[in-house]
Amino acid sequence: MAPHDLRRPFKRAAISDQQRRRDLTLQRQAQGRRDAQQQARCLASTVLSLQSQSTQPEYEPDIELEPESLPDLLPEQEESGASSKDLDVRHASKLKGAEARKWFARQLMLPEWMIDVPDCLAQDWYVFARPAGKRCFVVSSNGTTVSRQRNGSILHRFPSALPNGAKTRDVSGPSQSYSILDCIFHEPDQTYYVIDMVCWRGYSLYDCTAEFRFFWLNSKLGETGACSPPSFYHKYRFSTVPIYNCDQSGLSSAYTGALPYVKDGLLFYNKHAHYQTGNTPLALVWKDENCSQYVIDTDSKGQVPSQQQVVLELQDDGKLITSDDPPVVFGCLDLDFIQKEIFYVLLLVMEVEFVDGKLEKVDLHYLGKVNRARAFPDSYSKMLEALILYEKKGKKKLTTGGIQISYAICFFEHAFSLV
Amino acid sequence: MAMEVTQVLLNAQSIDGNVRKQAEESLKQFQEQNLPSFLLSLSGELANEDKPVDSRKLAGLILKNALDAKEQHRKFELVQRWLSLDAAVKSQIKVCLVNTLSSTASDARSTASQVVAKVAGIELPQKQWPELIGSLLLNIHQLPAHVKQATLETLGYLCEEISPDVVDQDQVNKILTAVVQGMNASEANNDVRLAATRALYNALGFAQANFSNDMERDYIMRVVCEATLSPEVKIRQAAFECLVSISSMYYEKLARYMQDVFNITAKAVREDEEPVALQAIEFWSSICDEEIDILEEYGGDFTGDSDVPCFYFIKQALPALIPMLLETLLKQEDDQDQDEGAWNIAMAGGTCLGLVARTVGDDIVPLVMPFIEENITKPDWRQREAATYAFGSILEGPSPDKLTSIVNVALNFMLAALTKDPNNHVKDTTAWTLGRIFEFLHGSTVDTPIITQANCQQIITVLLQSMKDVPNVAEKACGALYFLAQGYEEAGPSSPLTPYFQEIVHALLTVTDREDAGESRLRTAAYETLNEVVRCSTDETAPMVLQLVPVIMTELHKTLEEQKLASDEREKQSELQGLLCGCLQVIIQKLGSSEPTKVVFMQYADQIMGLFLRVFACRLATVHEEAMLAIGALAYASGPDFSKYMAEFFKYLEMGLQNFEEYQVCAVTVGVVGDICRALEDKILPYCDGIMTQLLKDLSSNQLHRSVKPPIFSCFGDIALAIGENFEKYLMYAMPMLQSAAELSAHAAGADDEMIDYTNSLRNGILEAYSGILQGFKNSPKMQLLVPYAPHILQFLDSIYMEKDMDDVVMKTAIGVLGDLADTLGSNAGSLIQQSLSVKDFLNECLSSEDHMIKESAEWAKLAISRAISV
């Protein structure tokens, strides 16, 4: 008598491995299709041409390693080639060694120093306290997470709970998707504070407004478990920072509020601005002694030296430029002075003159080569800020003051005095 | 002519092949030359009492085959052909058929009743032949008995053939009355009573209204229960078959009969002949099926909305049911473990016990344990085997909490029995029970591990030892090891099996080499277990998996060298090739999944591909399928390097796509085309003309199994994504195909679950095609070519959203396509999307979905749309 149609002969053939092979194949193919689809969907929106950086030299600055800069573990210094013109983020997330350093060095959005109070500050801007620490890009993809500092060198390579950030059996997302976060690594509590989200699960957020990016950041990061305490598959904790509107209470919370991290100034982000690489006036930084211990250069005894240092880039023709785009030129060095290996100089600011709020004349004194970990010269606004703070310290009176600068200082002093 | 037909029909059944062939040929000619006259003479032959029974029977069979076929498209053709015949011809044929029901020759009557049902199956849904049921019912009241019997048989076939909504309730009532009267104990003629009982089995589906009426239902149930007590065994069996069918069709109406039914079934299980006893057990298995379904669906939480409440019949019957089932376990047949097709009371009883355990969970354990304890050490092997079987049967269902402590005690006993019990049946069941223990109580989800560092070594030693036992025991030992390995699948970077890996692999390979490995599917089990061991292995043992590659390759090579085999040996050889290809597939997938092992593995790629290509010279479908699956895995692992094999492989790929008959092969090949697309990307371009031609042919074929069509659409998407704007030249063929399929699949209203599932898989395929095509054209100026199709795609999305019957997979793909439209077509699609009626609702629904993937796709789509609109 044959078994009932519906009854599996109980003791036999509990397994059909062939069916299992078929099913597993179908699963793999479906995953492959999803990945391919996902990749295609993200491609166009993340193409970031490096050609916009054309004012930058095409070669890697040949500077020496300082002991404190973290060595890249991967084989590097290979021929970087000139193929880096049309890189997109997806490609970039796979870059290794020198190529990667070079690429990432140019991808962070860098705030200008606040020397002027933007219009509609209260309506259009966010403010948050910047955690003290190393600014870096954190990229999670293919089961690993890598953090890179501003100069492109690797800070950590570690497993994390970010999407595809560790080799776990998480099949919730396409295996090739990547995420890129703009972070500050805060040494004291070994935490990555996420200050911006650039890509998430392969979706580019470059051309999204800050408002959207912060919303996304706050709603997505927690879902992954990345904010949980460290574990085997999650070596460092991630955390968001409290972001405020720039109204009275927001400013005061950011300025004086108690936070789990050491503050290093305030960051201001324009709500409508896209993520723009390099210096942008749509992100601003403010520092004073109340909210940062790194306001101005101090010597080993904590004393403010009589001179402030600024880094400028020395170009082939002897021009000294800032990191701004377009760069601001600060005079010219005597070409005889240029030795081949020197590309950056340290500057001593001695005499300055403002005309219509612009820095007109400075005395530059060459101090020496910068350390290799530096990838950029300072920006124009940083120089101005340094000067303002220098003046406030009473070290030297500025002979002429820009009205706007004074106004900014007044505004903040007033705002913060109400706190 | 008539005389001639008789002779031809007799010749067609001649023992002489030549005579037969000639007769078949002339029947075929006759049919082709003049179909109406052919059918008329066949029906005349069937109706003619003066003709020999053999020619009448064959005439009826040919008629039947002229009305129905298994293949859907052929069936449709035959139905159309019959409907288009001249009405007078049809009417004459039908008169002959109905008249034959009164024939004194039982074979003629029986054939005629089947043909009548086939004609009714075509005509009743068309509102034709309205007088049929009335005239059949008139027959019922006629004597002699054989007319009554044939008429009841016809009514039974008719109910099997047509759907209940074709017959109005008044006629249903009359049919049921006639049938139930025929079943009644007062019916003296057993043939009539049997025909009536079998007719009821088919008519039950028509009795919805009658089962809702207490009096009518009581009456039907009484008659069925009485029939289970008939002195005639066939009537008893048929009556129990009715009960089984009632148990699943009218579960919610059974409460008031359960006590009586239990008594009848218990008596049958204990005393009746096997065919009857098996049906009686089946009744309880069927009740378990119902309750498991209900409990799974509602999780035991019944509210006013639940369709059918659970009546917990099994739970209530438990104290009496369990002893009854345990008794059956002692009725083993001596050779049942060797006989693949065996099905007897002990097996049915054990199966039912397993279902009861799944239905009631923990409650079964205390009722079965005393039986196990009492019998497991008895000198009679039947008692030991029954006790072990009972234990193995209840391992799925009860909670691990309830079972763990018992299993911990039993495990040592089982391991000892597997080595020492003198009886093969006992060892067979013991090994099977160990497999069940590992399947249900071992793995990362179980809190208290059954297998520990302390006993792991011993368990493996015993299992490997058992693999040297007789084939049926060794096969079960392989099965147990399969589940042992599976339980460590999630073990993390280090597996407890690592220290034994080499030993296990060696033992399994030794089993595959056994002379008697062909018995009890031992060789298959050994390779399947090897596959699972490889799948669940970790990085620690990757070097050993790598060593396995040349070993399996050598085995496959050996099978290809043997020549001039007898046909049965060839078949065995092909089967072995299938197993080896399957094993290589698993290994390739494993090693290909991590970069370091992939690099080392790829040194074998050329040789392996060479072997696979030689396997394609074999004929058997399963082997082709296995080699094809393995090649897919290889393409996935190789990436763009796979292009070097394409020139040689392409013809087999084409052959696979042309394999309509063995549609699994075709389906697998379609999947492999996708793998190759992703591996080669635009390097697949030179082969696309051939592939697309074949895929388009497949889609327009009505021979190809429908399940292959959705993946073919998905494959369009894979190709488009790989070759980008080069897909341009296929647009004019692919797009109309997609559009008409989309229109077909937009509405599945009123369809059954199976149809809704199919419709959804079709929708998913279509949407994946659109997705791939849209993304493929992104950033290309040729994107403009897709703009004309955008309204249709949006309309398709609209209609499936409005239909409200899409599953999560379709929802995810659909919302992705919306994003693709916006992403690729930009402002061209932006305004259309804004105009669309339902898109916004659809998007919002997806954005708030619980399903992570749907939400993810929806968020992306939202982003893409906002870009498209803002441009």
Side-chain angles (χ1 to χ4, degrees):
Chain A
M1 173 105 195
H4 187 281
D5 288 349
L6 299 168
R7 301 268 164 256
R8 167 165 75 87
F10 200 33
K11 260 182 73 181
R12 286 201 193 93
I15 40 175
S16 165
D17 200 65
Q18 186 180 28
Q19 192 54 44
R20 196 162 141 84
R21 284 198 294 281
R22 263 185 219 136
D23 293 346
L24 288 171
T25 300
L26 286 176
Q27 272 176 31
R28 174 176 60 67
Q29 287 168 342
Q31 181 71 49
R33 180 174 294 133
R34 271 203 296 278
D35 287 358
Q37 193 64 258
Q38 197 85 343
Q39 204 182 72
R41 282 177 180 164
C42 299
L43 272 179
S45 44
T46 57
V47 174
L48 279 176
S49 171
L50 288 182
Q51 281 171 318
S52 63
Q53 310 278 343
S54 55
T55 53
Q56 301 281 352
E58 278 294 309
Y59 41 79
E60 172 114 354
D62 181 13
I63 37 185
E64 281 160 34
L65 260 175
E66 289 283 327
E68 68 267 26
S69 71
L70 282 127
D72 192 336
L73 296 171
L74 285 164
E76 49 177 290
Q77 302 298 357
E78 286 159 16
E79 191 53 48
S80 61
S83 63
S84 53
K85 291 221 164 144
D86 290 314
L87 292 182
D88 58 71
V89 173
R90 182 180 57 88
H91 187 177
S93 69
K94 292 176 181 163
L95 289 180
K96 290 180 178 174
E99 284 254 3
R101 281 214 325 241
K102 192 170 166 188
W103 192 83
F104 281 100
R106 308 195 193 296
Q107 298 311 317
L108 282 168
M109 175 152 93
L110 304 172
E112 288 191 356
W113 289 75
M114 188 180 251
I115 49 173
D116 180 9
V117 179
D119 296 335
C120 305
L121 184 74
Q123 292 83 45
D124 289 343
W125 292 73
Y126 290 121
V127 63
F128 59 91
R130 182 196 189 278
K134 296 187 175 100
R135 177 90 184 275
C136 52
F137 247 159
V138 176
V139 179
S140 69
S141 72
N142 284 316
T144 184
T145 307
V146 176
S147 57
R148 286 177 186 275
Q149 301 185 70
R150 259 191 76 179
N151 62 9
S153 69
I154 291 185
L155 179 60
H156 298 129
R157 182 187 296 276
F158 59 104
S160 79
L162 294 175
N164 282 315
K167 288 195 168 28
T168 54
R169 283 169 181 268
D170 172 28
V171 290
S172 63
S175 59
Q176 301 164 349
S177 92
Y178 52 88
S179 301
I180 303 179
L181 302 175
D182 184 347
C183 297
I184 291 166
F185 184 68
H186 184 252
E187 286 281 353
D189 63 356
Q190 296 284 298
T191 297
Y192 279 94
Y193 286 91
V194 187
I195 60 167
D196 211 332
M197 181 177 265
V198 182
C199 285
W200 188 250
R201 289 189 194 275
Y203 300 145
S204 166
L205 295 160
Y206 274 96
D207 46 3
C208 297
T209 62
E211 192 170 15
F212 184 81
R213 294 198 311 273
F214 289 158
F215 158 71
W216 211 252
L217 166 62
N218 278 298
S219 54
K220 292 288 146 191
L221 190 69
E223 286 177 9
T224 59
C227 302
S228 314
S231 60
F232 182 74
Y233 284 121
H234 182 54
K235 196 169 170 198
Y236 294 101
R237 197 167 72 92
F238 284 77
S239 176
T240 53
V241 296
I243 295 172
Y244 307 99
N245 285 317
C246 277
D247 52 20
Q248 187 75 34
S249 79
L251 279 169
S252 94
S253 303
Y255 190 63
T256 58
L259 287 165
Y261 52 83
V262 179
K263 275 186 249 184
D264 180 19
L266 299 181
L267 282 168
F268 295 80
Y269 276 67
N270 186 292
K271 290 181 181 176
H272 311 295
H274 291 187
Y275 196 97
Q276 186 188 331
T277 59
N279 288 104
T280 168
L282 296 173
L284 301 168
V285 59
W286 171 267
K287 292 188 188 187
D288 63 31
E289 51 268 53
N290 291 321
C291 63
S292 174
Q293 48 180 314
Y294 310 106
V295 183
I296 44 178
D297 296 337
T298 50
D299 62 20
S300 53
K301 291 174 192 143
Q303 296 297 306
V304 179
S306 60
Q307 299 167 338
Q308 287 290 304
Q309 294 180 347
V310 184
V311 176
L312 292 180
E313 183 178 336
L314 175 63
Q315 296 201 297
D316 284 349
D317 56 6
K319 277 181 185 157
L320 291 164
I321 59 167
T322 63
S323 64
D324 303 271
D325 183 21
V328 177
V329 181
F330 275 87
C332 206
L333 280 186
D334 184 352
L335 282 171
D336 294 343
F337 181 77
I338 305 171
Q339 292 165 295
K340 267 189 182 168
E341 68 272 23
I342 306 170
F343 296 99
Y344 290 76
V345 288
L346 291 182
L347 299 172
L348 173 67
V349 182
M350 285 289 288
E351 299 284 343
V352 290
E353 211 172 280
F354 285 100
V355 174
D356 295 335
K358 284 204 164 184
L359 196 57
E360 194 67 353
K361 191 175 153 193
V362 277
D363 254 4
L364 307 175
H365 289 244
Y366 170 66
L367 286 182
K369 290 189 283 182
V370 289
N371 95 34
R372 181 200 156 120
R374 257 324 262 267
F376 295 98
D378 285 327
S379 66
Y380 177 67
S381 61
K382 159 92 194 263
M383 294 181 66
L384 288 185
E385 185 74 10
L387 287 169
I388 293 160
L389 294 164
Y390 191 61
E391 177 197 44
K392 278 186 71 199
K393 277 275 172 188
K395 288 292 171 190
K396 187 170 173 81
K397 284 280 174 199
L398 292 171
T399 47
T400 9
I403 292 163
Q404 290 180 329
I405 296 173
S406 306
Y407 170 63
I409 296 167
C410 290
F411 174 84
F412 281 104
E413 280 174 350
H414 176 66
F416 299 143
S417 69
L418 294 173
V419 171
Chain B
M1 185 65 114
M3 240 341 270
E4 211 181 297
V5 164
T6 307
Q7 196 49 54
V8 175
L9 286 169
L10 290 175
N11 286 351
Q13 301 170 74
S14 162
I15 338 162
D16 184 337
N18 285 330
V19 175
R20 207 165 58 230
K21 213 174 157 195
Q22 211 175 4
E24 281 164 3
E25 196 51 43
S26 45
L27 283 171
K28 203 176 149 202
Q29 271 178 21
F30 188 6
Q31 173 165 10
E32 280 164 7
Q33 279 160 11
N34 190 343
L35 181 70
S37 143
F38 176 67
L39 297 177
L40 271 174
S41 56
L42 288 176
S43 61
E45 183 79 11
L46 177 62
N48 193 333
E49 292 285 288
D50 302 328
K51 297 291 183 184
V53 167
D54 284 344
S55 72
R56 295 176 72 182
K57 224 169 89 178
L58 186 59
L61 278 176
I62 297 174
L63 265 176
K64 193 178 127 190
N65 291 338
L67 296 165
D68 196 9
K70 271 187 186 157
E71 284 169 316
Q72 279 302 310
H73 70 107
R74 175 78 184 141
K75 182 181 176 132
F76 182 75
E77 279 170 20
L78 293 176
V79 166
Q80 294 307 313
R81 192 176 76 175
W82 173 263
L83 288 173
S84 62
L85 281 179
D86 179 60
V89 172
K90 283 190 284 190
S91 148
Q92 204 181 331
I93 292 172
K94 287 189 280 189
V95 169
C96 287
L97 292 174
V98 174
N99 285 344
T100 314
L101 296 178
S102 320
S103 165
T104 48
S106 71
D107 280 345
R109 288 199 305 272
S110 163
T111 314
S113 62
Q114 292 174 45
V115 185
V116 169
K118 291 291 175 198
V119 175
I122 297 175
E123 295 204 342
L124 294 192
Q126 308 285 330
K127 307 272 175 227
Q128 296 176 14
W129 212 1
E131 70 281 10
L132 171 68
I133 293 176
S135 65
L136 287 175
L137 290 170
L138 276 179
N139 268 352
I140 293 284
H141 303 294
Q142 277 179 9
L143 290 170
H146 71 258
V147 181
K148 213 169 169 178
Q149 176 260 340
T151 307
L152 286 165
E153 209 174 298
T154 310
L155 286 171
Y157 289 134
L158 193 138
C159 291
E160 194 180 10
E161 205 64 43
I162 59 179
S163 94
D165 54 5
V166 171
V167 186
D168 63 45
Q169 187 59 41
D170 181 49
Q171 284 195 318
V172 168
N173 291 343
K174 286 181 182 155
I175 293 173
L176 282 170
T177 307
V179 167
V180 175
Q181 263 175 16
M183 279 180 79
N184 207 308
S186 63
E187 173 58 59
N189 185 304
N190 274 345
D191 290 341
V192 172
R193 208 174 167 198
L194 179 61
T197 312
R198 287 179 175 164
L200 180 69
Y201 180 85
N202 288 323
L204 282 170
F206 288 65
Q208 291 287 350
N210 313 80
F211 263 83
S212 302
N213 176 315
D214 288 353
M215 262 179 46
E216 291 181 39
R217 186 180 60 240
D218 283 352
Y219 182 62
I220 296 173
M221 288 302 291
R222 204 193 79 213
V223 172
V224 173
C225 289
E226 278 171 10
T228 65
L229 305 171
S230 158
E232 170 57 43
V233 60
K234 282 185 177 163
I235 295 175
R236 294 201 301 277
Q237 186 187 345
F240 272 113
E241 282 170 8
C242 287
L243 276 181
V244 171
S245 181
I246 290 168
S247 72
S248 63
M249 238 181 269
Y250 301 106
Y251 167 83
E252 72 279 13
K253 311 273 192 219
L254 285 180
R256 58 204 282 185
Y257 315 106
M258 285 310 279
Q259 187 58 51
D260 290 335
V261 174
F262 179 80
N263 292 337
I264 310 172
T265 51
K267 189 167 155 43
V269 169
R270 292 198 168 104
E271 297 166 16
D272 213 327
E273 293 179 43
E274 189 171 64
V276 184
L278 286 173
Q279 287 304 323
I281 296 173
E282 183 57 31
F283 173 83
W284 291 100
S285 293
S286 167
I287 295 283
C288 287
D289 286 344
E290 291 304 311
E291 296 198 340
I292 290 169
D293 279 356
I294 295 169
L295 294 171
E296 263 174 16
E297 192 159 341
Y298 302 112
D301 176 30
F302 299 105
T303 61
D305 323 327
S306 310
D307 291 346
V308 180
C310 185
F311 287 96
Y312 299 100
F313 293 140
I314 298 295
K315 204 179 162 105
Q316 291 170 50
L318 218 48
L321 186 60
I322 297 298
M324 174 186 97
L325 293 173
L326 291 174
E327 270 177 51
T328 65
L329 302 186
L330 292 159
K331 297 183 180 172
Q332 307 97 322
E333 286 175 309
D334 280 328
D335 54 354
Q336 67 181 38
D337 289 325
Q338 275 85 38
D339 177 9
E340 285 272 330
W343 184 247
N344 55 42
I345 293 181
M347 294 169 85
T351 305
C352 188
L353 191 65
L355 289 167
V356 172
R358 286 175 55 201
T359 312
V360 302
D362 288 359
D363 292 351
I364 199 171
V365 178
L367 294 169
V368 175
M369 284 316 292
F371 177 84
I372 298 171
E373 282 157 8
E374 192 194 322
N375 289 288
I376 196 118
T377 51
K378 283 281 160 63
D380 180 359
W381 73 265
R382 286 177 190 279
Q383 287 172 287
R384 296 199 306 280
E385 198 277 341
T388 316
Y389 193 22
F391 187 50
S393 300
I394 61 164
L395 288 168
E396 186 187 7
S399 62
D401 284 351
K402 189 87 184 171
L403 291 174
T404 302
S405 59
I406 301 170
V407 166
N408 274 327
V409 176
L411 191 60
N412 278 328
F413 187 92
M414 296 282 155
L415 292 172
L418 189 52
T419 18
K420 295 194 190 101
D421 199 287
N423 182 279
N424 279 338
H425 292 277
V426 177
K427 284 197 278 190
D428 183 295
T429 305
T430 304
W432 170 77
T433 301
L434 283 169
R436 300 261 299 172
I437 291 174
F438 303 149
E439 185 178 0
F440 299 110
L441 294 166
H442 155 65
S444 57
T445 54
V446 182
D447 292 336
T448 329
I450 294 290
I451 304 171
T452 59
Q453 248 185 328
N455 64 15
C456 190
Q457 162 99 59
Q458 189 204 357
I459 292 169
I460 289 169
T461 307
V462 169
L463 290 180
L464 298 193
Q465 185 62 35
S466 266
M467 285 185 206
K468 298 174 186 154
D469 211 320
V470 291
N472 61 305
V473 176
E475 186 246 347
K476 298 289 191 301
C478 288
L481 192 59
Y482 185 102
F483 289 112
L484 180 78
Q486 193 169 72
Y488 289 124
E489 197 177 5
E490 310 275 330
S494 174
S495 165
L497 284 188
T498 296
Y500 313 105
F501 191 87
Q502 192 105 39
E503 200 185 345
I504 290 171
V505 168
H506 179 75
L508 287 167
L509 289 174
T510 310
V511 171
T512 65
D513 268 345
R514 278 172 60 154
E515 293 261 307
D516 56 2
E519 293 170 36
S520 295
R521 65 183 291 283
L522 176 57
R523 182 174 287 118
T524 306
Y527 275 116
E528 290 182 339
T529 303
L530 183 60
N531 292 347
E532 190 63 8
V533 168
V534 168
R535 273 191 212 107
C536 302
S537 65
T538 62
D539 289 348
E540 301 168 313
T541 41
M544 289 179 250
V545 176
L546 266 167
Q547 285 168 18
L548 205 49
V549 178
V551 176
I552 305 293
M553 279 169 61
T554 309
E555 290 296 315
L556 186 55
H557 182 78
K558 268 196 254 169
T559 69
L560 293 163
E561 290 304 290
E562 305 205 17
Q563 280 161 3
K564 292 180 192 163
L565 292 166
S567 72
D568 64 324
E569 283 172 326
R570 241 195 342 253
E571 202 167 305
K572 277 181 195 158
Q573 214 59 349
S574 290
E575 200 186 316
L576 179 56
Q577 284 168 359
L579 291 172
L580 292 164
C581 287
C583 187
L584 281 171
Q585 185 212 334
V586 171
I587 295 174
I588 294 169
Q589 205 148 329
K590 183 75 195 180
L591 296 175
S593 67
S594 107
E595 208 54 45
T597 50
K598 184 161 92 181
V599 172
V600 189
F601 163 76
M602 287 313 288
Q603 62 176 325
Y604 296 112
D606 288 356
Q607 281 171 279
I608 289 189
M609 191 64 195
L611 288 170
F612 289 156
L613 291 171
R614 288 181 63 190
V615 168
F616 277 110
C618 298
R619 300 161 304 122
L620 271 183
T622 47
V623 182
H624 279 163
E625 190 191 337
E626 291 290 357
M628 199 52 94
L629 282 168
I631 285 176
L634 189 65
Y636 177 76
S638 312
D641 287 345
F642 191 82
S643 61
K644 62 180 170 183
Y645 308 123
M646 277 306 284
E648 213 176 333
F649 173 57
F650 181 67
K651 65 177 170 195
Y652 297 114
L653 194 71
E654 248 183 340
M655 271 166 54
L657 294 176
Q658 284 162 356
N659 198 338
F660 290 160
E661 291 83 41
E662 291 132 353
Y663 71 91
Q664 283 284 12
V665 176
C666 188
V668 160
T669 313
V670 170
V672 170
V673 171
D675 278 329
I676 296 174
C677 286
R678 286 182 287 276
L680 300 191
E681 300 194 337
D682 55 357
K683 283 189 195 160
I684 199 175
L685 192 55
Y687 304 97
C688 282
D689 280 358
I691 293 171
M692 280 301 290
T693 307
Q694 208 45 60
L695 291 178
L696 289 164
K697 273 191 200 165
D698 285 352
L699 281 177
S700 25
S701 159
N702 46 16
Q703 275 172 281
L704 182 63
H705 196 273
R706 67 175 190 178
S707 67
V708 190
K709 297 192 176 179
I712 291 179
F713 284 124
S714 306
C715 193
F716 280 0
D718 298 338
I719 293 172
L721 210 49
I723 64 174
E725 59 177 12
N726 292 306
F727 196 80
E728 178 190 359
K729 60 175 168 175
Y730 309 123
L731 280 179
M732 61 180 290
Y733 308 105
M735 285 314 230
M737 211 75 133
L738 282 163
Q739 285 188 0
S740 58
E743 270 151 34
L744 260 175
S745 80
H747 312 289
D752 54 9
D753 287 356
E754 198 190 337
M755 191 60 200
I756 291 175
D757 284 352
Y758 178 72
T759 304
N760 273 323
S761 73
L762 192 59
R763 287 170 178 167
N764 192 56
I766 295 164
L767 291 166
E768 285 185 333
Y770 282 143
S771 214
I773 293 170
L774 284 164
Q775 286 298 338
F777 279 76
K778 185 158 71 179
N779 300 329
S780 154
K782 291 184 180 166
M783 162 273 276
Q784 287 295 339
L785 295 171
L786 299 181
V787 173
Y789 300 108
H792 180 272
I793 297 175
L794 268 174
Q795 201 189 326
F796 179 49
L797 294 175
D798 245 16
S799 63
I800 52 178
Y801 175 66
M802 302 306 274
E803 207 67 17
K804 298 284 175 212
D805 58 358
M806 67 177 134
D807 58 23
D808 283 356
V809 179
V810 173
M811 198 166 191
K812 189 225 151 220
T813 323
I815 203 67
V817 168
L818 185 64
D820 295 327
L821 266 177
D823 197 25
T824 294
L825 303 183
S827 56
N828 291 306
S831 56
L832 280 172
I833 290 173
Q834 277 176 305
Q835 285 159 24
S836 159
L837 297 174
S838 58
V839 155
K840 207 171 174 188
D841 295 340
F842 186 20
L843 188 60
N844 286 332
E845 199 172 301
C846 293
L847 283 169
S848 56
S849 167
E850 300 271 306
D851 186 299
H852 171 75
M853 308 248 279
I854 293 176
K855 211 174 155 191
E856 199 82 54
S857 289
E859 281 162 353
W860 177 79
K862 189 181 170 187
L863 219 66
I865 293 170
S866 64
R867 280 197 198 109
I869 292 175
S870 69
V871 174

